[in-house]
Amino acid sequence: MSDGLTDQEARQRLLRDGPNELPVSRPRGLWRLLVDVVTEPMFMLLVACGAIYMVLGDRHEALMLLGFVFVVMGITFFQQRRSERSLEALRDLSSPRAQVVRGGQVLRIAGRDLVCGDIVLLAEGDRIPADMELVESSNLTVDESLLTGESVPVDKPERGSVFSGTLVTQGTARGLVIATGARSALGRIGQSLAALGGESTPVQLETQRIVKRVAAVGLTLAACLAVTYGVSTGDWLHGLLAGLTLAMAILPEELPVVLTIFLGLGAWRLARENVLARSIPAIELLGATTVLCVDKTGTLTANRMAVSQLWSQACSYDCDRDSAIPLQEALHGVLEYAVLASHRRAFDPMETAIGDAGQRLLADTEHLHADWTLVDDYPLSREMLAMSRVWQSPDRRERMIAAKGAPEAIIDLCHLDASHSAAIAQQVTAMARSGLRVLGVAQAGFAADALPGNQHDFDFEFLGLVALQDPVRADVPQAIAECHAAGIRVVMITGDHPSTALSIARQAGLESTGGVMTGAELDALDDGALSARLVDTSVFCRVQPEQKLRLVQAFRARGDVVAMTGDGVNDAPALKAAHIGVAMGARGTDVAREAAALVLLNDDFSSLVVAVRYGRRVFANLRKAIVFVIAVHLPIVGLSVLPVLLGWPMLLMPVHILFLQLVIDPACSVVFEAEPLEAKAMTERPRKPSTRLFDAAVLARGFWQGIGLLGILLVVYVLSRSVSGSENVARAMVFTVLVLSNLGLIQVNRSWAPTSLRGLRVVNQAFVWISLFTLGLLAAVLSIPVISQLFAFEVPSPELLLGGFAATLLGLAWFEAVKWALARQSLGRA
């Protein structure tokens, strides 16, 4: 039983019982996606146009139109399904995790893979992933308010039961899984977890408002156009067809799809970089982040602790320098009681390092006590930054108490005099200046049966210091330099000694000229004084979790957009208060993960910088896509309205707009989403959080590009009609130039640099394939007589086609001129 299930047994039980998840929390299925596509306004308009063609007796036109309907539906369905699959992968990543014993090894697995019979290790901050019977427990209390409504945590003795969805608030335990999924207490009550990605983001809300307004205006104009055409010509069916065509031209139905795909695939791409987006709005805000508040251990450092030095007043030992010689007898007690003050099954890397050092340096001595029994322990608290564990040896009635913690807390427990305390503090400072994390160690004996309620009541004897080393990650200095170049300030918040914090800050490349602020100094400042100190202070030490919350609120009050990292239960308020809470995925508690918007799956600071880069990329590419949508729709709308007002024949029909949709939709959702970040994007200041997606720069760029293209198309129509004398030839020329110009608009807007040279250097495979597909379809439409007749085209002469190509080049020149002029104007304002 102690070795847990084998992998084969676990797989068999998973097949038998199914995954440990609640069935109602699954995403949209294929049928729901299909219904969503069929009920889109564009689909309804296309069906209406097909019906009108049938009434007019143009069966071929109607059938082709309906055929195109299914093509557009297929593209939309494929895009949404792709986005949904990426969200499914994120849901699997964001499910609760569990630390289990399988085959004698401790593994961390997704909670959905738990099976009955698994042995699960629980610690403070864990969300219990299944119903369990406790095999062992130590000071275990559980918040069961999710099930019972009772807010007071419940003490859980050995052999007691704990239930899925409840929260470990204190202590550690080992539990045997007895029920999973729908068979658990949570499943029987019918609770479910909120599905990831269900909320509307600020950008989505803004887009919904824009789409509704444009749709309302478009339908009004379409109705007016239909009435005008019907009154002026007496042909009400063709008037209705003209109105529906205008409605199709105006309706920006790509935008909601574009947003869904951009944000969904953005979250999926982040997950591939070991960053889990639990809240989609966080992706939008990443590009606006101005302050990153990070902890030290495991984020800036490698979280691979090792005991570096041992010290007592009699002697010292350097684990690297003195590794060839045995540990001095005078230091045996220091390491012995440091091991006893740690958990035997350590969760914390620091305790693991102490245990490893004990096994190595105290081997073959009487100072390792595998036969001692744990009686009780006194956990770390805000009031006392030290923990004590009470042991009973088989051959003695007296209990032995081992304590470790912050040196000042251990000095306090030992009630040392001023001179003794000063000597220890001097040694602590010397070690901390080398970037070492220093712990004090003490011992006590206690003869009475009833233990006191406070560890202060023991008569402790100071033994010495243990210094641990956790090196700065190799990629952290470069990542921090990249943040500084991007105008993002990095602030370190840690519980370590001031000298340790300052040393690590300098190694990591953090700004440290403003000195260090301790938690005690923080408490002594009012809000105004704290705000003044935040201007040049970037290193905070001896900080308690509730003080992290105050720091986050203070940065927010200054107008900063704050990203905050955390891993503990008490970090949850600060993670919630930050604009973007970031939890540690490897060592963080489930409570921290649930409170956070992002989870760093590998606890790596450089992953956070990657997330910021992706955030800037998503927002920038969304703006490019919107410019393209505006620039494309303006000439389509103009070509739908102006012929009616000028008494010309209809230039664009529903089938033409459908063809254009085959270019517009993939371009927005595939080409622009796949576009890499601009070369200089990470050397610019963060955007203001108030920056809107549809701001003046986006609207102006799209408007001027679209108006210029409309003017060119009108000239092409007039000249083609004059030269050829045929409406169908002129219509074919206008459509050809419009399609080619659409591809030109994509190329020009791939980059907002003053010229498009970058776009030519960077290959976008999606754009290449869409361009080839579009050109192939256009060639088929112009060269195959049956299709040309359905489009009401006649093949232009080579001379006209050459002129159309020249008009396309003129359009490209206009697009480039607009981009250059607006870039110069923006540079002038800056």
Side-chain angles (χ1 to χ4, degrees):
M1 177 65 70
S2 61
D3 287 343
L5 301 174
T6 65
D7 288 340
Q8 184 177 358
E9 289 173 332
R11 283 195 297 270
Q12 290 173 347
R13 296 188 185 193
L14 189 61
L15 288 173
R16 181 192 69 192
D17 299 334
N20 177 36
E21 61 186 2
L22 301 174
V24 292
S25 65
R26 303 313 297 159
R28 292 186 296 171
L30 294 176
W31 175 250
R32 178 61 185 169
L33 281 174
L34 186 60
V35 170
D36 289 346
V37 171
V38 171
T39 54
E40 285 187 355
M42 181 61 73
F43 177 82
M44 303 293 188
L45 291 173
L46 292 174
V47 172
C49 291
I52 291 174
Y53 275 118
M54 291 294 286
V55 172
L56 290 172
D58 198 339
R59 181 181 301 175
H60 294 294
E61 191 83 20
L63 291 177
M64 185 183 65
L65 195 62
L66 293 175
F68 268 121
V69 165
F70 288 106
V71 173
V72 174
M73 279 177 55
I75 292 174
T76 305
F77 178 81
F78 170 77
Q79 291 170 333
Q80 294 200 8
R81 181 58 182 157
R82 182 185 179 194
S83 178
E84 192 66 30
R85 282 176 177 169
S86 69
L87 289 177
E88 285 177 23
L90 298 182
R91 289 186 186 97
D92 291 340
L93 281 173
S94 63
S95 67
R97 306 158 305 150
Q99 197 166 22
V100 301
V101 179
R102 283 187 180 171
Q105 294 185 333
V106 177
L107 307 172
R108 188 172 291 277
I109 65 173
R112 69 190 305 272
D113 294 331
L114 273 181
V115 296
C116 290
D118 265 327
I119 295 176
V120 180
L121 305 181
L122 299 174
E124 179 180 326
D126 285 348
R127 182 71 67 183
I128 296 175
D131 289 0
M132 286 182 272
E133 181 182 287
L134 297 178
V135 178
E136 298 176 12
S137 67
S138 174
N139 286 335
L140 187 70
T141 61
V142 177
D143 178 1
E144 296 184 338
S145 58
L146 179 69
L147 296 175
T148 66
E150 176 57 53
S151 59
V152 178
V154 180
D155 292 326
K156 291 291 181 178
E158 195 170 304
R159 301 301 172 185
S161 297
V162 292
F163 304 101
S164 176
T166 58
L167 174 67
V168 178
T169 58
Q170 180 179 299
T172 59
R174 288 161 61 93
L176 179 68
V177 176
I178 58 175
T180 60
R183 294 170 297 280
S184 67
L186 187 63
R188 289 194 300 271
I189 293 174
Q191 298 282 350
S192 66
L193 299 176
L196 176 66
E199 72 273 25
S200 292
T201 72
V203 164
Q204 286 173 325
L205 293 174
E206 180 187 358
T207 302
Q208 289 167 10
R209 289 194 299 269
I210 294 292
V211 169
K212 287 179 181 177
R213 291 173 184 172
V214 172
V217 172
L219 292 175
T220 302
L221 291 176
C224 293
L225 183 66
V227 171
T228 302
Y229 192 99
V231 170
S232 61
T233 65
D235 189 347
W236 288 96
L237 276 178
H238 277 95
L240 182 58
L241 188 63
L244 290 173
T245 303
L246 177 59
M248 290 172 59
I250 293 179
L251 186 65
E253 55 90 26
E254 311 91 7
L255 291 181
V257 176
V258 167
L259 281 173
T260 300
I261 291 173
F262 265 64
L263 296 177
L265 291 182
W268 175 72
R269 291 184 190 278
L270 278 178
R272 295 176 66 187
E273 300 288 345
N274 291 314
V275 180
L276 169 64
R278 298 188 72 254
S279 171
I280 298 299
I283 300 175
E284 298 175 18
L285 270 179
L286 280 169
T289 301
T290 59
V291 172
L292 294 178
C293 296
V294 300
D295 55 356
K296 176 184 74 70
T297 304
T299 306
L300 298 180
T301 61
N303 201 27
R304 292 194 301 270
M305 285 215 169
V307 173
S308 177
Q309 296 178 30
L310 297 167
W311 179 89
S312 73
Q313 291 182 306
C315 59
S316 64
Y317 183 86
D318 188 304
C319 293
D320 293 326
R321 185 190 63 206
D322 304 329
S323 58
I325 62 175
L327 182 66
Q328 302 98 310
E329 183 68 32
L331 290 172
H332 280 192
V334 178
L335 187 52
E336 172 189 5
Y337 278 84
V339 172
L340 288 171
S342 304
H343 293 86
R344 278 178 171 166
R345 295 186 180 90
F347 294 95
D348 185 81
M350 181 175 61
E351 293 194 338
T352 301
I354 291 173
D356 291 344
Q359 293 296 323
R360 185 176 72 255
L361 298 175
L362 297 179
D364 303 322
T365 73
E366 72 280 6
H367 297 287
L368 294 176
H369 307 289
D371 58 343
W372 284 22
T373 303
L374 180 67
V375 177
D376 203 351
D377 61 7
Y378 297 82
L380 198 76
S381 68
R382 170 174 168 77
E383 294 73 24
M384 177 54 63
L385 297 178
M387 61 178 292
S388 300
R389 310 199 88 203
V390 183
W391 297 91
Q392 180 74 62
S393 68
D395 56 345
R396 297 177 62 181
R397 186 177 185 280
E398 184 183 32
R399 276 85 180 271
M400 304 302 297
I401 298 93
K404 77 174 190 302
E408 56 268 32
I410 296 297
I411 290 172
D412 184 28
L413 282 178
C414 296
H415 306 291
L416 299 179
D417 58 41
S419 60
H420 198 173
S421 300
I424 296 171
Q426 184 178 3
Q427 180 62 32
V428 169
T429 302
M431 289 175 161
R433 282 174 180 161
S434 300
L436 301 178
R437 181 168 187 177
V438 187
L439 299 176
V441 182
Q443 70 164 5
F446 194 75
D449 290 333
L451 294 172
N454 193 311
Q455 56 186 321
H456 250 300
D457 296 335
F458 295 116
D459 187 14
F460 280 108
E461 173 192 354
F462 183 82
L463 294 177
L465 302 173
V466 177
L468 299 102
Q469 185 176 36
D470 186 12
V472 172
R473 291 179 184 264
D475 55 353
V476 161
Q478 174 61 34
I480 288 179
E482 190 173 353
C483 286
H484 291 163
I488 302 171
R489 182 180 175 191
V490 183
V491 173
M492 184 175 77
I493 303 175
T494 180
D496 279 339
H497 188 278
S499 297
T500 304
L502 199 56
S503 174
I504 295 296
R506 288 169 178 161
Q507 293 177 47
L510 287 173
E511 178 60 47
S512 58
T513 56
V516 184
M517 180 187 293
T518 65
E521 293 173 330
L522 178 64
D523 281 341
L525 298 176
D526 60 24
D527 291 345
L530 176 59
S531 180
R533 285 290 302 274
L534 292 182
V535 173
D536 58 0
T537 304
S538 297
V539 181
F540 300 86
C541 63
R542 290 293 192 243
V543 173
Q544 299 295 326
E546 51 268 41
Q547 292 171 329
K548 290 184 180 181
L549 173 60
R550 189 180 175 204
L551 283 172
V552 168
Q553 291 171 333
F555 276 116
R556 290 193 61 153
R558 295 178 67 246
D560 286 306
V561 177
V562 184
M564 169 80 194
T565 68
D567 57 8
V569 177
N570 293 329
D571 290 333
L575 293 174
K576 278 288 189 183
H579 292 95
I580 306 169
V582 183
M584 302 295 105
R587 61 187 169 87
T589 61
D590 287 335
V591 174
R593 284 164 57 99
E594 291 168 8
L598 298 178
V599 179
L600 301 185
L601 299 177
N602 59 358
D603 294 2
D604 191 347
F605 176 79
S606 62
S607 296
L608 189 54
V609 181
V610 169
V612 172
R613 190 181 298 120
Y614 268 84
R616 293 192 175 191
R617 169 184 167 178
V618 167
F619 195 83
N621 286 350
L622 270 173
R623 287 163 64 84
K624 294 174 185 177
I626 290 170
V627 167
F628 172 73
V629 169
I630 295 171
V632 165
H633 275 271
L634 271 176
I636 296 176
V637 171
L639 293 176
S640 301
V641 174
L642 290 177
V644 176
L645 299 180
L646 298 174
W648 297 350
M650 288 179 61
L651 293 183
L652 288 184
M653 301 173 185
V655 66
H656 302 141
I657 294 178
L658 265 177
F659 184 101
L660 293 171
Q661 290 292 328
L662 295 177
V663 178
I664 296 172
D665 281 350
C668 295
S669 57
V670 178
V671 175
F672 288 112
E673 194 282 328
E675 196 64 29
L677 188 67
E678 297 277 3
K680 296 183 179 180
M682 286 300 285
T683 59
E684 298 174 351
R685 300 286 302 174
R687 65 177 174 85
K688 296 179 180 179
S690 59
T691 301
R692 294 181 295 118
L693 203 55
F694 296 84
D695 65 3
V698 167
L699 297 177
R701 193 179 298 264
F703 175 81
W704 287 113
Q705 287 181 350
I707 286 296
L709 178 56
L710 176 59
I712 291 172
L713 293 172
L714 292 175
V715 171
V716 167
Y717 172 76
V718 171
L719 293 179
S720 300
R721 184 181 177 185
S722 174
V723 171
S724 67
S726 168
E727 294 290 348
N728 290 346
V729 169
R731 184 181 293 111
M733 284 299 303
V734 168
F735 185 76
T736 300
V737 173
L738 178 56
V739 170
L740 295 176
S741 297
N742 276 355
L743 297 178
L745 277 170
I746 297 173
Q747 173 61 32
V748 168
N749 287 298
R750 284 178 56 201
S751 170
W752 277 15
T755 68
S756 293
L757 293 178
R758 171 188 172 275
L760 294 174
R761 291 195 301 267
V762 179
V763 177
N764 186 318
Q765 291 187 349
F767 178 50
V768 172
W769 285 110
I770 285 175
S771 298
L772 293 175
F773 175 72
T774 303
L775 293 174
L777 284 180
L778 180 61
V781 167
L782 293 176
S783 61
I784 300 176
V786 175
I787 301 178
S788 295
Q789 291 174 9
L790 292 174
F791 276 75
F793 287 168
E794 289 181 22
V795 180
S797 65
E799 293 79 11
L800 279 177
L801 288 175
L802 187 61
F805 182 70
T808 302
L809 293 179
L810 180 62
L812 282 173
W814 171 255
F815 304 152
E816 287 287 347
V818 169
K819 187 165 69 168
W820 180 83
L822 292 177
R824 294 275 296 180
Q825 182 181 2
S826 177
L827 187 63
R829 285 198 301 267

